[in-house]
Amino acid sequence: MITVYYIPDGPKNLKALFNDLDLNNLDHYNLEVHDASGNVLATTPEYTYDKPCEEDLVLHFVNALGPVDSIKCNLTTIVHENKSDTIQVPLKYPLDKTLHGVNRINLKANDTYSGIILATEDQLPLVKELLDTAALWIESADSYIPIVLVDGKYPVLNDVPDRYEYQIPIVFTLSHDKLTIRA
Amino acid sequence: MSLSITTQPAANSLNAAYRPIVLQVGLTAAMPVVYCDIYINGIFYKSLSSTAPGLTIRFDLQIESQEYLTRFLAANGGSAILAASPLAISIFCKVRGSSTDTNGFVLVDSPIPIQATGGTPAVAGGGVESNTFYVINSTLQNEDLQDLAEHLNLFKSGTWDTNCWPLSHRVAGYRINSSDYFPIVTTDKIPVCVTGHFTMKDGSTITKSTCDSRPSCPIVTGIVITSTDNGNGTQSIQISWNTPDPLLTSISIQYRVSGSGAAWTSVSGSVTSPRTITVPVNLYDIRLLVQGNCQDTFSTVYSNIGPCLLASMASQSLPDGMSGEDYSASLPISGTGPFTLDSVAGVPAWLTTFEISGSNLVLAGAPGVDDVGDVNITGNILNCSSGSYPINLAFSIQEAAPLNVTLQLLSSPNSLKAFVEGGVPPYTYEFNCVPTGPCNSYSISNPSGSTSASEIDSNISYVLYSGTTYAFTCTIIDSVGNSATSNTVTTAACLVPWTYIDMHDGSVKQLKEIEIGMMLRDNNKVLMKKEHEVAELYIINSGLLITSRGHVNIMADGTTKQTYNLKKGEELFGHILIEDIQLIFGKFKVIDLATSNGTYFANGVLTHNKFACP
């Protein structure tokens, strides 16, 4: 019987697993997974703990092997953009001056987020899986919000001398446009 | 007409859903339609069909796998180990054939599977069953390693169970600061506990462990299992149990053939009792996997479930064997095992293997020259309840065909090829060369050895001295001492005596009039001249050149080619198109020359000479 298991290993999950773990002083860690007999089934890679910053966003995405993976991103800008058509409505007599003569309709609005992913060369394949994913989410409080990557050309590898970490720009929008209450 | 699965994923192998998952079916005769019924997690999902002509049909299961598999998003910041069941499936297929009746309607040759509906149970399908294998919602297109399990092995770090693999390409140094899950896949394990090894900023290390805090799922009680033979090679196994705890959400029925040690086939479904599975007739081990908001729990394994049917064989016919050649055969047994042999008589001493292996009666041995004759074996095959099925096997061991060897002389490269027929392999062989003439130089790369092959090659090299011929033969001795010697192939390379040779003074003389020391065209001195007798002549372009088999010609591009290798359409030196080649047999006198230039003009055509002795 084949089964895929998700092993909780993020700092946020560890807080629930080991509530007395001092995350403020944590540097790096890995986890082992055991069956009921105590046999080791799996070992995670070694993780480097990054203290969360205001600008941090965690992107959760369907990776090339099927399950949901995650990558940290530094948010740089948020651009709010809207588009609409206008409609001119007939006015009543006598004129009610509070009523609009021209209204906006078909209003669409969304936020475009720009960020930077920092990755070492051996982490680049995972970043490319993120760029090519069909479904991804950002974290919001204790849940997820679906987002959509903006198609484009992403410079993944730049041959800069002495560079050991790469900055990959990323642009995405929220999956749902903002809906406006009909006036 | 019958069909068989000739290519398929290995049993219990991991496969990526986004690359071909091919099942190839071989037919003994063409069929109007071939069906492939796909069973996912033990339940019939859908059928593919092919009306392609030919005896090889190919089904690709990747689209069906992709449409079944979906994504799984775990709770943000959760602490439980979660089973992400939509990400992996087990698959097997049953392949069915068909025929056409006299009215042209297609008739299927095995029962058609039907999915269960609200109040109607599923109908089991028939056909040839494939291996059960696993498909994961993965891509591999750009990876060096196209075997999914091997690819995932590259991303293991630390200790891993052999049947567990990571499903992420993350590497050491992965930065992490929020909710995250590490995905793994396992074919037979249940992860329960997590141990963390933490290194703090001051260099100290801490180890902490925790286990799934949920209670174990309650064991289902009152399990009753009954088996009914459906009379069509299948049986229905019904499993019932007491009403379970409301905590449970799913009960998977897992089964495998008793004593096989194979991976469990799992059929997930509701907790409502009873449930039925339909499987081929055999004895099975069965257990229940209880799942819900609790730790997964297995029930006791119930062994040897199934009707005990008498053994039988569709055929007891065996092929005849040949003395000196290994003999092997396998006859499938149907019914319910384990099968045993009883009261067996007539097994010859050379038949060293006569046993039951799984569901097959296996025969193997090496009959010698003294074992020629008929073989009659009688006995019984007993089934799981010692019910008896008589066997009466008859075949014969025939004498090996007479040993014979034929030798051919090939060029490009110069080589000998011996064709061996009959006799009893392995053979020992020896290539021989008998040169005649004033001088010689030759070598044989593979002069002797031993082989079981029917064709033996050896490269040769020799210098074509004027007046020298090389006669090659091959001698074969088989494993029982029979010997045979091949025909003789020779390397004579000459022209007929009436060929006109261009002289230095511009005149021409017939080859028979040429003397040693004469000057030929281009100040070319005759060094040697020899006569031979040959059994065949090649006539090029109705007499432009008449040569022996091995005469060396100069081609338009400057390369050389022996006459027997020339073909119509090729060009000799001077762009002389070869329009016709005739071969005549008899006894003919031919003459070769050795010249100081290495060539001379014969009937106006530049041709190669033979070498003078050193």
Side-chain angles (χ1 to χ4, degrees):
Chain A
M1 182 194 65
I2 187 167
T3 311
V4 174
Y5 288 98
Y6 281 9
I7 311 301
D9 64 352
K12 195 169 178 180
N13 311 78
L14 295 179
K15 224 183 280 182
L17 277 172
F18 310 110
N19 53 16
D20 58 344
L21 181 67
D22 180 10
L23 287 176
N24 288 326
N25 288 314
L26 181 60
D27 186 66
H28 60 271
Y29 65 98
N30 69 352
L31 301 183
E32 284 176 349
V33 185
H34 304 258
D35 64 9
S37 305
N39 303 312
V40 177
L41 303 183
T43 307
T44 69
E46 189 174 275
Y47 297 133
T48 302
Y49 174 62
D50 259 6
K51 201 170 179 181
C53 302
E54 277 294 309
E55 298 80 18
D56 281 353
L57 272 180
V58 178
L59 304 174
H60 298 263
F61 64 99
V62 176
N63 72 17
L65 296 169
V68 173
D69 228 319
S70 67
I71 282 184
K72 201 186 81 164
C73 163
N74 294 102
L75 186 61
T76 53
T77 60
I78 301 175
V79 176
H80 184 77
E81 185 183 8
N82 58 39
K83 288 180 189 169
S84 69
D85 298 324
T86 57
I87 183 171
Q88 187 159 16
V89 293
L91 298 175
K92 290 180 182 173
Y93 179 81
L95 178 67
D96 177 351
K97 69 174 187 180
T98 65
L99 293 178
H100 284 71
V102 175
N103 270 339
R104 295 170 88 186
I105 61 166
N106 297 337
L107 196 146
K108 286 184 179 176
N110 208 332
D111 289 337
T112 300
Y113 294 73
S114 300
I116 296 286
I117 296 173
L118 297 175
T120 55
E121 192 161 337
D122 56 354
Q123 292 167 343
L124 290 179
L126 191 63
V127 176
K128 282 194 267 188
E129 287 180 32
L130 164 73
L131 297 174
D132 300 339
T133 189
L136 73 166
W137 301 262
I138 51 173
E139 279 190 48
S140 171
D142 287 337
S143 187
Y144 304 96
I145 294 176
I147 59 173
V148 181
L149 279 181
V150 174
D151 290 346
K153 292 182 178 176
Y154 293 95
V156 173
L157 180 63
N158 287 318
D159 190 11
V160 179
D162 301 328
R163 165 75 56 88
Y164 62 91
E165 194 167 57
Y166 296 89
Q167 298 181 356
I168 299 99
I170 186 169
V171 182
F172 59 88
T173 63
L174 300 177
S175 178
H176 299 286
D177 283 337
K178 287 186 189 299
L179 297 177
T180 302
I181 296 169
R182 191 173 175 137
Chain B
M1 289 186 289
S2 67
L3 48 75
S4 60
I5 298 171
T6 54
T7 303
Q8 58 182 321
N12 305 324
S13 62
L14 294 187
N15 297 272
Y18 287 81
R19 71 184 302 280
I21 304 170
V22 172
L23 207 75
Q24 188 165 293
V25 180
L27 310 178
T28 54
M31 294 181 177
V33 191
V34 176
Y35 302 90
C36 174
D37 302 327
I38 303 171
Y39 292 73
I40 295 182
N41 294 337
I43 298 172
F44 170 59
Y45 175 58
K46 66 167 18 174
S47 291
L48 303 179
S49 62
S50 173
T51 55
L55 300 180
T56 301
I57 308 292
R58 196 172 289 135
F59 295 103
D60 188 348
L61 310 182
Q62 64 169 316
I63 300 296
E64 286 64 37
S65 303
Q66 291 165 16
E67 65 192 24
Y68 198 97
L69 295 162
T70 60
R71 63 194 181 204
F72 180 86
L73 186 60
N76 190 300
S79 61
I81 296 171
L82 298 170
S85 51
L87 296 176
I89 49 177
S90 70
I91 291 188
F92 66 84
C93 295
K94 289 185 180 176
V95 182
R96 293 182 286 122
S98 65
S99 57
T100 310
D101 70 6
T102 52
N103 296 316
F105 291 104
V106 172
L107 304 173
V108 294
D109 62 9
S110 303
I112 303 169
I114 302 174
Q115 291 164 330
T117 57
T120 314
V123 175
V128 178
E129 188 169 323
S130 74
N131 293 333
T132 296
F133 51 90
Y134 305 123
V135 180
I136 301 178
N137 203 17
S138 301
T139 65
L140 278 182
Q141 291 91 330
N142 290 329
E143 304 296 345
D144 287 339
L145 267 177
Q146 289 290 299
D147 182 288
L148 182 57
E150 287 185 29
H151 171 74
L152 297 179
N153 280 338
L154 298 179
F155 291 87
K156 289 181 175 178
S157 61
T159 308
W160 281 82
D161 185 277
T162 51
N163 289 338
C164 295
W165 297 267
L167 279 182
S168 169
H169 291 133
R170 58 180 72 170
V171 294
Y174 183 77
R175 284 203 189 87
I176 196 162
N177 71 0
S178 187
S179 173
D180 185 72
Y181 291 86
F182 183 57
I184 64 169
V185 61
T186 169
T187 54
D188 59 357
K189 301 287 193 292
I190 299 175
V192 174
C193 298
V194 172
T195 298
H197 302 282
F198 304 98
T199 303
M200 312 309 281
K201 285 177 181 167
D202 61 4
S204 62
T205 56
I206 301 172
T207 299
K208 289 179 177 292
S209 291
T210 183
C211 291
D212 190 344
S213 56
R214 297 174 301 168
S216 295
C217 293
I219 294 170
V220 174
T221 58
I223 295 173
V224 177
I225 303 177
T226 56
S227 169
T228 308
D229 179 19
N230 296 328
N232 59 359
T234 67
Q235 61 180 324
S236 296
I237 299 177
Q238 186 186 75
I239 304 113
S240 60
W241 52 80
N242 293 338
T243 304
D245 190 291
L247 207 57
L248 301 184
T249 58
S250 166
I251 291 181
S252 293
I253 300 169
Q254 299 193 337
Y255 64 92
R256 67 181 178 194
V257 174
S258 296
S260 67
W264 294 90
T265 299
S266 187
V267 183
S268 59
S270 79
V271 298
T272 306
S273 169
R275 281 179 36 208
T276 303
I277 58 171
T278 304
V279 290
V281 169
N282 212 329
L283 293 182
Y284 290 88
D285 294 342
I286 292 179
R287 69 180 182 184
L288 300 183
L289 171 61
V290 184
Q291 295 170 304
N293 186 20
C294 47
Q295 286 184 38
D296 296 353
T297 307
F298 290 111
S299 73
T300 308
V301 176
Y302 295 82
S303 298
N304 298 320
I305 306 296
C308 193
L309 302 181
L310 275 181
S312 67
M313 289 171 142
S315 168
Q316 293 195 19
S317 127
L318 288 166
D320 289 341
M322 193 76 75
S323 70
E325 289 184 10
D326 287 348
Y327 183 89
S328 68
S330 177
L331 294 171
I333 308 166
S334 54
T336 312
F339 301 110
T340 51
L341 287 165
D342 179 52
S343 306
V344 175
V347 179
W350 63 264
L351 195 62
T352 49
T353 301
F354 184 79
E355 62 187 20
I356 286 173
S357 173
S359 296
N360 291 287
L361 177 60
V362 179
L363 299 84
V369 284
D370 299 331
D371 297 318
V372 171
D374 294 335
V375 177
N376 290 292
I377 302 173
T378 57
N380 296 300
I381 297 176
L382 307 182
N383 71 347
C384 49
S385 63
S386 298
S388 176
Y389 173 76
I391 52 172
N392 195 344
L393 308 172
F395 61 98
S396 62
I397 299 300
Q398 315 218 340
E399 197 170 351
L403 182 63
N404 184 41
V405 56
T406 309
L407 189 62
Q408 281 187 5
L409 180 64
L410 306 176
S411 66
S412 304
N414 277 332
S415 60
L416 297 168
K417 186 182 258 308
F419 298 89
V420 185
E421 296 174 318
V424 180
Y427 311 105
T428 54
Y429 61 88
E430 184 176 1
F431 289 105
N432 303 294
C433 177
V434 179
T436 55
C439 55
N440 64 74
S441 173
Y442 69 93
S443 69
I444 301 173
S445 68
N446 179 25
S448 61
S450 178
T451 182
S452 292
S454 58
E455 294 182 10
I456 309 166
D457 296 301
S458 176
N459 288 340
I460 54 172
S461 65
Y462 49 83
V463 181
L464 286 169
Y465 289 115
S466 177
T468 299
T469 57
Y470 301 93
F472 293 97
T473 56
C474 181
T475 303
I476 298 286
I477 302 173
D478 70 7
S479 61
V480 293
N482 299 317
S483 67
T485 301
S486 72
N487 54 308
T488 302
V489 292
T490 58
T491 60
C494 323
L495 295 166
V496 292
W498 58 89
T499 307
Y500 284 101
I501 307 299
D502 291 7
M503 305 303 289
H504 183 60
D505 60 4
S507 63
V508 293
K509 280 184 188 296
Q510 287 193 323
L511 184 55
K512 62 187 176 188
E513 299 168 351
I514 298 292
E515 306 274 338
I516 293 173
M518 283 183 169
M519 297 300 286
L520 306 183
R521 179 174 163 181
D522 296 336
N523 212 15
N524 191 9
K525 191 175 181 182
V526 177
L527 303 176
M528 290 190 78
K529 176 189 175 186
K530 289 289 177 185
E531 285 187 6
H532 305 273
E533 189 172 279
V534 294
E536 56 189 16
L537 284 179
Y538 288 73
I539 305 174
I540 300 168
N541 285 4
S542 305
L544 174 65
L545 283 177
I546 305 175
T547 82
S548 66
R549 169 189 171 87
H551 181 73
V552 181
N553 301 274
I554 302 176
M555 308 306 289
D557 60 1
T559 59
T560 57
K561 202 174 239 192
Q562 288 180 284
T563 298
Y564 71 96
N565 274 327
L566 293 179
K567 293 185 180 62
K568 271 197 228 179
E570 291 182 325
E571 287 185 337
L572 296 173
F573 191 82
H575 295 288
I576 299 167
L577 180 66
I578 299 175
E579 296 171 333
D580 180 49
I581 302 173
Q582 291 177 47
L583 178 61
I584 58 172
F585 298 95
K587 274 190 175 180
F588 307 101
K589 184 187 282 184
V590 289
I591 300 172
D592 70 57
L593 291 182
T595 67
S596 56
N597 288 359
T599 58
Y600 58 96
F601 285 87
N603 289 347
V605 180
L606 185 68
T607 191
H608 204 281
N609 77 329
K610 293 182 83 173
F611 299 105
C613 283

